[in-house]
Amino acid sequence: MIFTKMKILDQVKMAFGAKIGSLDMDLTIDVKTDITTRPIVADLDPKRKEVIIFGTKDGRLIAVRGSGIEWIFSAKETKSDVEELFRDESRGNSINSQPIVADINKDGNLEILFGSDNGKLYALDSTGNYMWDFKTKDSIRTTPIYTDITSDNASYVIFGGNDGFLYCLDPLGALIWKFKASSGIESSPAYLVKGKERQIVFGSNDGTLYSVNSDGQLNWKHKLKAKVSAQPAIGDVFGDNDPHIAVGTTDGAMNLFSSDGELLWTYKTGGSIPNAAVLADLNNDKKLEIIFGSCDDNVYVLSAEGSKIWSFETSFWVASTPIVADIDNDGKLEVIICSYDQSVYILDGQGQYILNYVPGLSSITQQSGHYTDLLSIPPGRFVGKKIWEYRTDGKIIGSDLDKAKMSIVVTTNNGKISILKHKP
């Protein structure tokens, strides 16, 4: 009888567009060391189940599978007594470069690439064994990319370092070229394709946004007003088959550029934007919205034209990259964000329209999705609509989506990996 009643209630909720179910903990793993990167979920070997990979403050890259550790690779280097005396503790052996996976040796298995504060970029095989490394003169805090930059079916490893160079390596770790920026690079590179043209776009710590070609030569650069630590987001924002670049800065500005380096618009928030935006068509209008977090405690959704569609305020900084996915499989996209207030929020992708009091209307109403009205000025506004929230017991470093299981994997600084799943 209770089951039937709950089913009826769920059907009523669904009829009015309400979400059903809950966001629950599926599994918790404690690796008992400080985690410093967002996780990445990957099937490294077709014969085994997916693993979760992340970096730690003590210089280890760890892969967990199920509830146990699959393998550990240590990037920690032994220093002489003199080197230890002058070593910067904040830039010792910590791994602050999110790992990526790619089949760089074409063996059918995925390899792992990541940088370390010891100045090395590492390549590991699918079982966590060392393959090669490339040494720079300062820490590497960017996420590398592995892509075909020449359209000749030959892919390369590209990453930036705090020594001010953007590097291009072949799959064996040999230097192909390097490009000198005007300051250190903590902005992970992004890849842009426009016809036959290939561009690598990245920012530098002095606020310069760069585009270089496949030979490492400058296409264009644009000086912004503050540091660019965020990775540029590339996408067909206006739905006209022309890629654009969305990138935030530490003064709270989200900027949209054309592929030729023209600044089209800037939207100002009240806090730093340290990480990449996500571009997604939340409203099925063939245009992409720009979704990002800010250290003014908000997540924002902007239109292609640069106006705010909605925002949602948390209790602390939203410093990580959002995830956009249909987490409850109802055909509608949700926005998943992690806040330094130790909570994971699931938000309605279309937001919620709040109708202000208007004479002649009996009450204030709320509804999801876009609102159209015959009035010249709509009597209300859009706000973020929270669907579910889950509170962790540590500061959230970042998250990834396990697409096979449609679960959210979250890393916290106190060594916990939380796997969250929507349950009807």
Side-chain angles (χ1 to χ4, degrees):
M1 184 66 182
I2 295 176
F3 177 79
T4 304
K5 184 178 181 180
M6 289 303 296
K7 283 291 184 182
I8 293 173
L9 288 175
D10 286 348
Q11 289 173 0
V12 171
K13 288 180 180 179
M14 292 175 68
F16 283 91
K19 300 283 189 174
I20 62 172
S22 60
L23 185 69
D24 296 327
M25 175 70 70
D26 197 47
L27 181 67
T28 301
I29 307 163
D30 188 354
V31 295
K32 303 185 185 304
T33 188
D34 293 344
I35 298 175
T36 47
T37 74
R38 58 175 289 193
I40 182 168
V41 181
D43 285 314
L44 296 181
D45 184 334
K47 298 178 181 179
R48 293 180 292 178
K49 294 182 180 179
E50 67 272 2
V51 297
I52 301 168
I53 308 169
F54 52 89
T56 67
K57 186 177 181 180
D58 59 4
R60 293 185 293 169
L61 195 75
I62 299 177
V64 299
R65 182 162 62 95
S67 59
I69 293 176
E70 181 78 355
W71 51 258
I72 298 175
F73 175 83
S74 178
K76 188 172 182 178
E77 293 188 320
T78 303
K79 303 287 185 181
S80 68
D81 291 341
V82 174
E83 287 176 318
E84 284 290 340
L85 183 63
F86 293 99
R87 183 170 69 96
D88 182 353
E89 287 294 333
S90 66
R91 293 191 177 186
N93 292 287
S94 180
I95 297 172
N96 292 283
S97 162
Q98 183 195 336
I100 65 161
V101 296
D103 186 3
I104 64 174
N105 60 5
K106 310 300 181 185
D107 65 349
N109 295 324
L110 296 174
E111 287 74 49
I112 305 101
L113 298 165
F114 69 98
S116 169
D117 277 10
N118 66 20
K120 287 185 177 182
L121 184 89
Y122 291 91
L124 310 180
D125 69 15
S126 61
T127 59
N129 293 314
Y130 170 89
M131 292 174 60
W132 53 259
D133 66 67
F134 181 88
K135 178 70 174 175
T136 70
K137 294 182 179 179
D138 207 331
S139 60
I140 302 171
R141 296 190 167 186
T142 61
T143 299
I145 58 175
Y146 179 73
T147 188
D148 176 10
I149 60 172
T150 60
S151 69
D152 61 357
N153 295 320
S155 295
Y156 300 89
V157 180
I158 302 168
F159 67 97
N162 261 311
D163 59 1
F165 283 99
L166 184 77
Y167 294 92
C168 178
L169 312 180
D170 72 12
L172 298 177
L175 179 66
I176 302 299
W177 52 256
K178 61 181 181 179
F179 172 85
K180 178 61 176 172
S182 53
S183 66
I185 301 169
E186 295 182 23
S187 164
S188 301
Y191 184 54
L192 183 151
V193 179
K194 183 179 181 180
K196 295 183 179 180
E197 178 188 3
R198 265 74 174 165
Q199 296 183 37
I200 302 106
V201 185
F202 65 98
S204 64
N205 292 346
D206 70 349
T208 304
L209 184 70
Y210 291 92
S211 166
V212 300
N213 65 20
S214 58
D215 295 320
Q217 302 299 311
L218 180 68
N219 290 320
W220 52 262
K221 62 180 179 180
H222 186 102
K223 188 70 166 65
L224 293 163
K225 295 181 180 179
K227 177 180 177 179
V228 182
S229 60
Q231 182 181 32
I234 311 293
D236 183 7
V237 172
F238 294 98
D240 56 2
N241 296 316
D242 189 13
H244 289 77
I245 304 155
V247 64
T249 53
T250 56
D251 65 346
M254 176 55 67
N255 308 278
L256 188 73
F257 287 86
S258 71
S259 58
D260 298 323
E262 178 188 0
L263 178 60
L264 301 179
W265 53 255
T266 296
Y267 181 89
K268 198 73 165 59
T269 74
S272 174
I273 303 173
N275 271 304
V278 173
L279 308 181
D281 185 1
L282 297 178
N283 298 304
N284 296 314
D285 59 0
K286 307 302 182 184
K287 293 184 179 182
L288 301 182
E289 281 73 50
I290 297 94
I291 307 112
F292 62 96
S294 170
C295 290
D296 66 0
D297 307 345
N298 283 275
V299 59
Y300 292 87
V301 176
L302 306 183
S303 71
E305 292 76 21
S307 60
K308 185 175 82 169
I309 299 176
W310 59 261
S311 63
F312 178 83
E313 185 174 8
T314 71
S315 300
F316 205 4
W317 297 346
V318 182
S320 60
T321 299
I323 295 172
V324 175
D326 181 6
I327 198 69
D328 58 351
N329 197 32
D330 68 346
K332 298 179 181 180
L333 293 174
E334 287 81 47
V335 175
I336 304 161
I337 61 166
C338 297
S339 170
Y340 274 8
D341 66 9
Q342 302 184 191
S343 289
V344 179
Y345 297 89
I346 312 294
L347 309 175
D348 187 309
Q350 292 190 320
Q352 176 173 265
Y353 192 82
I354 302 297
L355 185 64
N356 297 334
Y357 172 76
V358 179
L361 295 182
S362 60
S363 64
I364 296 175
T365 62
Q366 300 179 358
Q367 65 183 53
S368 296
H370 278 286
Y371 180 87
T372 59
D373 196 281
L374 296 177
L375 298 176
S376 59
I377 301 175
R381 68 194 189 281
F382 274 101
V383 297
K385 179 183 179 181
K386 183 175 73 173
I387 305 170
W388 300 292
E389 176 182 351
Y390 188 92
R391 186 166 178 83
T392 67
D393 63 355
K395 185 177 76 174
I396 299 174
I397 301 300
S399 60
D400 195 17
L401 182 69
D402 185 338
K403 295 179 181 178
K405 298 177 180 178
M406 287 307 292
S407 58
I408 305 163
V409 181
V410 178
T411 49
T412 54
N413 66 327
N414 61 353
K416 301 285 183 64
I417 303 101
S418 301
I419 301 175
L420 310 177
K421 193 171 179 61
H422 171 263
K423 296 182 180 179

